[in-house]
Amino acid sequence: MNLYANLRRGLLCYVIFFVVVSLCNASSSEVITIKPRHLSLLKGALQRSSGEQSDLWRPLTDQGWSPCIDLGNAPSLPEKTEGYIQVFLDGGLNQQRMGICDAVAVAKILNATLVIPYLEVNPVWQDSSSFVDIFDVDHFIESLKDDIRVVRELPDELSWSTREYYATAVRETRVKTAPVHASANWYIENVSPVLQSFGIAAISPFSHRLSFDHLPAEIQRLRCKVNFQALRFVPHITSLGDALVSRLRNPSWRNNKEQQNVDHLRDITNSHSRQEPGKFAVLHLRFDKDMAAHSACDFGGGKAEKLALAKYRQMIWQGRVLNSQFTDEELRSQGRCPLTPEEMGLLLAAFGFDNNTRLYLASHKVYGGEARISTLRQVFPRMEDKRSLASSEERARIKGKASLLAALDYYVSMHSDIFISASPGNMHNALVGHRTFENLKTIRPNMALIGQLFLNKSITWVDFQQALGEGHVNRQGQIRLRKPKQSIYTYPAPDCMCHV
């Protein structure tokens, strides 16, 4: 039977049969049906030719911008600092990453010694990983030795200043009134007196507590130096990341295995292959229950799914979700709905990725599990993830640790030929900025355009391809200069990049 017959038969299976998946929350269990929502487009995607666009994998040309974070002849550090700065950072890995960069900047502004930041346990992911579990602390301190003083822990006389100490009562050394996007002057006026009086100031909450505007150029460049140079993952993450990248680039590693057992991958990765390294793309897919519920969008799971997500919204946010006041059509036309795995598969196929594409799926937990991913996997049968590429022994140190899993995905994403994310968010923003800094191809989905195209149930595959192509000509890694109030970590130019 030829290829197209197989494809048609596969599509027919999806039309006739659908997968039922049970999703449980704290109070009840709902049975939710998950099936393809865009059948005509799916048919076009499955019948696409195997030849990819000739320029799809072509690296970005030199855009005339280069990293520019060398502080030059910076004055030497003062012999004595004003005291110690502590920060307690909440959120996921990438929100904490931005907080670490801001903490270094605040320490510089105040001439303070920074204590290695404390990472709060994320209430959603329940990961207790500390800074030293995720980042190479020796490299961090060494990289910043000419900029600020950093210590692993407080001296004995200040060892009482702990997270638990501040959780039990109001303390004079805690600063908890820092406004969102506070100015440098705010810290000088409000935190310096605390340092002068007590020798220590603990700032919490701290996430997003430093402005992106009206700061000295050396402070802006220091923030980028931390983000793009000083924050390096621990060796076991980079080592595993290198192994995954090697396996993704070696198209014959599965054929060379003596048995279909992923535990043999290490030997295969280390073997010398005659084949030139291949290319691969990374799809960051955040489609967990938290995001699905907060979006208030309809994902095709019927009444049961709508009820499950409504219950979840009530439980987590007491129903106070801004998007709830809009219809699904309004939300999609405004680009406010995260793209499903099925929609991302159609998107990538329309961009020109064929079914031989090596695609790495960077994700944590997908709402709906394999049932929701199955259509994406049908369109891209060579899709891989951490579980398919690494043995259980290799993954033992990161199992169940959301921050370390995200760190591994981040590392692999930074080494991919192309990166694309299914929805805006901290991971998307962090990688867009970092890959911009390194001039790497990164597709930024036009969410409003895509939402409108998927609402058009009569659109043909050819028209879908054409509209997407035209709408993303300048959304593939081209430099975008930062505007006021925008994040320096997402838009590093012109603050941290020089026009050559």
Side-chain angles (χ1 to χ4, degrees):
M1 189 176 289
N2 62 33
L3 173 64
Y4 291 122
N6 280 327
L7 294 175
R8 287 194 294 272
R9 187 176 66 174
L11 179 61
L12 183 61
C13 289
Y14 270 91
V15 176
I16 298 175
F17 302 102
F18 53 82
V19 184
V20 177
V21 60
S22 296
L23 301 171
C24 302
N25 61 25
S27 59
S28 63
S29 177
E30 298 87 6
V31 178
I32 298 172
T33 59
I34 299 175
K35 52 187 177 180
R37 303 188 70 192
H38 310 285
L39 286 172
S40 63
L41 292 178
L42 179 58
K43 181 179 179 181
L46 292 173
Q47 295 181 349
R48 71 196 188 279
S49 62
S50 59
E52 294 171 327
Q53 295 177 7
S54 60
D55 61 344
L56 183 62
W57 295 97
R58 187 176 299 159
L60 290 177
T61 58
D62 184 354
Q63 301 184 67
W65 290 85
S66 62
C68 189
I69 56 177
D70 184 3
L71 302 180
N73 297 321
S76 58
L77 293 177
E79 292 186 6
K80 184 179 179 182
T81 66
E82 298 297 322
Y84 294 89
I85 288 289
Q86 285 179 296
V87 296
F88 303 99
L89 302 174
D90 54 16
L93 171 69
N94 293 293
Q95 183 173 324
Q96 291 171 337
R97 185 187 186 102
M98 292 183 284
I100 293 167
C101 300
D102 288 348
V104 170
V106 168
K108 182 70 173 180
I109 290 168
L110 298 176
N111 182 30
T113 298
L114 177 67
V115 183
I116 290 295
Y118 179 93
L119 308 185
E120 300 276 12
V121 176
N122 187 292
V124 176
W125 307 123
Q126 292 297 312
D127 185 357
S128 58
S129 298
S130 67
F131 185 104
V132 298
D133 294 325
I134 304 169
F135 300 106
D136 186 333
V137 66
D138 292 329
H139 175 77
F140 181 78
I141 294 173
E142 176 67 20
S143 297
L144 299 174
K145 66 180 181 180
D146 296 327
D147 303 297
I148 64 166
R149 288 187 172 87
V150 183
V151 295
R152 290 172 176 263
E153 53 189 27
L154 289 165
D156 290 342
E157 63 269 23
L158 294 175
S159 60
W160 49 264
S161 182
T162 64
R163 177 68 179 82
E164 293 70 28
Y165 173 76
Y166 294 107
T168 56
V170 176
R171 310 292 187 183
E172 290 181 297
T173 51
R174 178 182 174 186
V175 178
K176 59 180 181 180
T177 57
V180 173
H181 298 157
S183 67
N185 283 339
W186 188 93
Y187 284 97
I188 294 171
E189 294 171 2
N190 293 274
V191 181
S192 285
V194 179
L195 288 173
Q196 293 166 5
S197 298
F198 303 100
I200 186 170
I203 310 174
S204 178
F206 186 69
S207 295
H208 308 294
R209 261 39 184 207
L210 181 62
S211 173
F212 290 118
D213 303 312
H214 310 301
L215 291 173
E218 61 267 23
I219 296 296
Q220 297 287 61
R221 291 186 178 184
L222 178 58
R223 293 165 97 174
C224 290
K225 180 179 180 179
V226 180
N227 194 32
F228 303 134
Q229 290 186 358
L231 285 176
R232 186 168 71 186
F233 295 124
V234 290
H236 76 86
I237 291 292
T238 60
S239 177
L240 180 55
D242 287 335
L244 299 193
V245 170
S246 176
R247 295 162 194 178
L248 284 162
R249 292 201 182 283
N250 180 359
S252 62
W253 63 268
R254 273 204 172 90
N255 296 332
N256 293 338
K257 287 190 298 180
E258 295 179 359
Q259 299 178 4
Q260 290 298 310
N261 187 331
V262 77
D263 290 339
H264 296 304
L265 286 178
R266 186 185 295 106
D267 295 334
I268 293 164
T269 298
N270 293 335
S271 66
H272 297 286
S273 173
R274 295 181 181 179
Q275 187 162 356
E276 290 294 325
K279 297 182 181 295
F280 74 96
V282 168
L283 166 59
H284 172 243
L285 181 64
R286 184 184 172 189
F287 195 80
D288 52 58
K289 191 171 186 178
D290 190 74
M291 172 173 277
H294 195 269
S295 72
C297 299
D298 179 7
F299 299 107
K303 292 183 179 179
E305 183 174 77
K306 290 181 181 179
L307 178 61
L309 295 180
K311 286 182 177 179
Y312 190 82
R313 279 192 292 273
Q314 186 61 39
M315 180 177 66
I316 303 298
W317 303 288
Q318 292 74 51
R320 296 191 296 271
V321 175
L322 179 63
N323 282 3
S324 296
Q325 62 185 294
F326 300 101
T327 66
D328 180 71
E329 184 173 340
E330 289 172 330
L331 292 171
R332 291 189 180 279
S333 64
Q334 296 170 26
R336 295 166 69 174
C337 291
L339 298 175
T340 65
E342 175 196 359
E343 290 168 340
M344 283 308 304
L346 297 174
L347 197 69
L348 291 170
F351 281 139
F353 294 94
D354 69 14
N355 58 9
N356 288 317
T357 298
R358 284 178 291 281
L359 183 66
Y360 178 83
L361 182 62
S363 68
H364 185 50
K365 291 182 179 179
V366 174
Y367 179 55
E370 184 59 33
R372 192 145 249 150
I373 298 174
S374 58
T375 304
L376 171 62
R377 197 179 300 281
Q378 189 186 21
V379 179
F380 291 99
R382 299 186 69 181
M383 185 172 70
E384 308 281 1
D385 58 21
K386 293 177 284 290
R387 292 178 62 85
S388 68
L389 287 171
S391 68
S392 56
E393 289 80 7
E394 288 174 308
R395 291 183 281 110
R397 297 181 68 176
I398 64 175
K399 184 178 180 180
K401 299 178 180 179
S403 292
L404 296 182
L405 292 166
L408 180 60
D409 282 341
Y410 190 105
Y411 187 86
V412 174
S413 298
M414 279 304 300
H415 289 77
S416 67
D417 298 282
I418 301 174
F419 173 82
I420 184 171
S421 182
S423 59
N426 289 329
M427 181 80 157
H428 164 90
N429 293 338
L431 279 163
V432 165
H434 203 160
R435 289 177 65 88
T436 296
F437 190 75
E438 301 288 350
N439 197 42
L440 300 173
K441 182 171 283 190
T442 306
I443 300 175
R444 295 180 299 103
N446 184 332
M447 299 296 286
L449 169 65
I450 294 167
Q452 292 163 18
L453 292 176
F454 280 128
L455 284 172
N456 183 357
K457 299 303 180 183
S458 63
I459 192 170
T460 66
W461 176 248
V462 172
D463 289 342
F464 183 71
Q465 283 184 298
Q466 182 177 347
L468 277 178
E470 293 174 352
H472 290 82
V473 171
N474 295 314
R475 301 179 70 90
Q476 299 186 34
Q478 289 83 356
I479 293 287
R480 302 179 76 192
L481 300 184
R482 188 179 72 84
K483 299 177 181 178
K485 298 184 179 180
Q486 287 184 331
S487 171
I488 196 172
Y489 308 121
T490 307
Y491 304 98
D495 304 85
C496 303
M497 301 183 75
C498 297
H499 195 267
V500 180

